[in-house]
Amino acid sequence: MHFNTKDRASGYSASNSAGAAGEDTTDAVLKPITPQLVRTERELREKQVTQDISKLLGKSAPYTIDSGDVLSIVVWDHPELSNAATVATGGPVGVGADASTSATTAPPAGFIVDHEGMIQFPYAGPLKVAGLTQDQARNMLASKLSKYLKQPKVTLRVQSYRSKRVYVDGEVKNPGLQAMNDIPMTLVEALNRAGGVLPTGDQSQVVVNRSGVNYQINLPQLVQRGINPGSIMLTNGDVVRVRSRDESKVFVSGEVVSPRALPMYNGRLTLNEALGESGGINPLSGDGSQIYVVRKSGTDQVVYQLDGRSPGALAMAEGFELAPKDVVYVAATPLANWHRAISLILPGALSSAVGAAQPAR
């Protein structure tokens, strides 16, 4: 494959043949890494338009009863009206996947809200409680009972939260179902209930799927912009997925001590860090003046070049942030290329020549 680079400023074009003749040629723009370029790239990142997540932001609201919830109802001084609702279920219900599992496997005690959002209560008859808060449902029941009882005192609460749930998947400690209860289900709350993000998780790649639409959430970026991640409110049926750092890798190859694929740290990795984690430029064969970063931009490719021998090169490398799937390549010196070419043409010729040139002991 032929790889052509062209410097926009000077019009200079260079071709590096890496395969047989007749293959496709890929053109790429060559941009020298300079302090001005580093500043421009940083400004573009800061001005970059991110996905609108305003639909996810909101304020916490009281929990509303829905189909599947189990209510505990007590009418004071009238135990005959609330016998079933006072039977204990053997522990706290409605928090996390375990609670949801126990609620679906054991027969719940209390008044179950049916598929139409109704409950049946003595004297009050069928009551539609779906969509009401606990206080609203209690007041409605007390109003119904006041026709038969004098100033009835009613206690109504949700005993088992079974109607609303979200799903947390990916790089969290305890992936699975999270039942929504009277504590507002924010994105931070859901992640904490799942045991938190694992070290292998990328906090800049959190996806919230709502009604078939994926919202990309960059938690460190939100905090940097002054947006509290706790203001992202989840609703019933949302799916939260924390992607792995392995999905956003940078590849370092060429004349470095340890070529490797490096994961990014919460969406961030500089050129200096990538070279450092690869052991640096190989002192025997690496050409510090030819450090390249190959980046795909749409259908085109952009090649950034850093001259590591120039003053301030380390500062520019530290300020130049890489993007996922970038390829960092360090070219070999002309002497190393000549040595390899001779070794391919005449295997062992150089070592034999060196041995013949050394005086016999």
Side-chain angles (χ1 to χ4, degrees), residues 115-127:
H115 66 283
E116 295 181 348
M118 312 284 290
I119 62 170
Q120 297 285 341
F121 197 82
Y123 296 114
L127 298 175

Side-chain angles (χ1 to χ4, degrees), residues 336-352:
N337 285 328
W338 177 81
H339 181 278
R340 291 168 183 170
I342 295 299
S343 299
L344 290 174
I345 298 172
L346 301 172
L350 289 179
S351 58
S352 300

Side-chain angles (χ1 to χ4, degrees), residues 126-300:
L127 298 175
K128 187 172 183 62
V129 295
L132 302 180
T133 65
Q134 297 183 70
D135 291 341
Q136 291 171 339
R138 183 188 68 245
N139 294 336
M140 182 180 66
L141 178 59
S143 176
K144 294 285 186 180
L145 293 177
S146 64
K147 298 178 181 180
Y148 308 96
L149 304 176
K150 185 179 179 179
Q151 295 181 348
K153 296 180 180 179
V154 180
T155 299
L156 183 149
R157 65 180 181 87
V158 179
Q159 181 172 285
S160 297
Y161 297 90
R162 307 193 308 173
S163 63
K164 302 179 180 68
R165 57 192 65 188
V166 299
Y167 303 87
V168 183
D169 191 16
E171 300 300 312
V172 292
K173 186 176 181 181
N174 301 310
L177 178 150
Q178 299 294 334
M180 301 179 68
N181 54 24
D182 55 333
I183 300 175
M185 182 63 80
T186 64
L187 177 60
V188 176
E189 176 71 17
L191 293 176
N192 286 336
R193 288 192 193 182
V197 180
L198 295 174
T200 55
D202 189 347
Q203 296 188 29
S204 68
Q205 294 288 331
V206 180
V207 180
V208 177
N209 181 282
R210 176 175 298 175
S211 302
V213 179
N214 286 334
Y215 296 89
Q216 304 285 342
I217 309 296
N218 187 327
L219 293 179
Q221 187 181 74
L222 288 181
V223 174
Q224 185 179 3
R225 294 184 176 183
I227 301 176
N228 183 4
S231 61
I232 298 178
M233 306 298 300
L234 301 181
T235 61
N236 180 37
D238 283 354
V239 179
V240 179
R241 184 174 188 273
V242 181
R243 290 180 175 172
S244 172
R245 289 172 51 199
D246 290 338
E247 297 183 30
S248 300
K249 283 188 174 182
V250 169
F251 306 95
V252 185
S253 62
E255 304 304 317
V256 292
V257 175
S258 301
R260 63 182 62 188
L262 297 173
M264 305 185 76
Y265 299 94
N266 293 330
R268 184 183 179 278
L269 187 69
T270 66
L271 176 57
N272 201 28
E273 292 169 340
L275 292 174
E277 296 212 16
S278 301
I281 301 175
N282 192 323
L284 300 178
S285 59
D287 187 350
S289 65
Q290 297 190 69
I291 303 173
Y292 299 97
V293 176
V294 183
R295 178 176 301 169
K296 189 172 182 179
S297 177
T299 57
D300 299 327

